[in-house]
Amino acid sequence: MGFITDMYTKYRELILYGIYGVLTTLVTWVSYAIFVNLGMELNLGNILSWICGVAFAFVTNKWFVFESKSLKTTKVLTELSLFVGARIFTGVIAWILFPILLWLGMDQMLFGTEGFVAKIVVSVIEIVLNWVLSKYMVFRKKKPEQTKE
């Protein structure tokens, strides 16, 4: 049991980021299905489900993954705007990178879906960038000498 505890302690942030990332994906997919099944136009349902996913990811990343517990309005609004900006930034990168990877030959079929290899590569890059931006820009912890009591 010591090994598991040690590994969790050492990689806690990454483990939680992965768990909440899976849950964020589920929130996005389920909300999309709900919106579409209620008769919403597909693109609008997709946009609203992205907003639901980003909102869920913000709360879980802020509170549980990076443990930024401040509820001070200016702090929350700053973190929220940085978080949404970072997600838009990585989304644009994914949007640009995907066709480039297809053009470079990553259009192979996987799971019966053409171009899925490129989609996986883009997703991995997007996940890594989201983690880096969240950790070092959005929810960065101040060094002890920067903290005021």
Side-chain angles (χ1 to χ4, degrees):
M1 199 62 151
F3 174 75
I4 293 172
T5 304
D6 291 345
M7 293 306 285
Y8 178 77
T9 301
K10 185 174 183 178
Y11 298 108
R12 180 196 157 285
E13 200 173 82
L14 286 173
I15 291 167
L16 291 176
Y17 188 80
I19 291 168
Y20 287 111
V22 169
L23 291 174
T24 296
T25 301
L26 290 175
V27 166
T28 303
W29 289 354
V30 169
S31 61
Y32 174 78
I34 290 169
F35 293 140
V36 170
N37 286 314
L38 289 174
M40 192 173 287
E41 191 272 328
L42 297 181
N43 286 312
L44 181 58
N46 187 46
I47 290 166
L48 291 178
S49 70
W50 180 84
I51 292 169
C52 289
V54 169
F56 179 82
F58 173 73
V59 170
T60 56
N61 278 261
K62 174 179 176 44
W63 203 255
F64 302 112
V65 178
F66 299 106
E67 296 182 329
S68 177
K69 304 288 185 174
S70 174
L71 294 176
K72 189 175 174 187
T73 304
T74 55
K75 174 86 168 165
V76 172
L77 290 176
T78 298
E79 289 174 336
L80 179 61
S81 60
L82 288 170
F83 189 84
V84 171
R87 292 298 166 115
I88 291 170
F89 173 73
T90 60
V92 168
I93 288 174
W95 180 62
I96 292 169
L97 187 58
F98 182 74
I100 292 170
L101 292 178
L102 292 177
W103 180 76
L104 291 173
M106 282 193 189
D107 56 350
Q108 297 84 0
M109 188 172 291
L110 189 62
F111 305 121
T113 305
E114 185 178 355
F116 210 80
V117 172
K119 181 68 174 166
I120 290 170
V121 170
V122 165
S123 294
V124 168
I125 291 168
E126 196 172 8
I127 289 165
V128 170
L129 284 174
N130 281 332
W131 181 82
V132 168
L133 291 171
S134 290
K135 180 168 180 71
Y136 297 107
M137 188 181 81
V138 179
F139 302 113
R140 69 180 176 267
K141 293 183 176 28
K142 291 184 178 182
K143 295 177 183 170
E145 65 270 6
Q146 292 177 322
T147 306
K148 290 183 179 179
E149 293 290 326

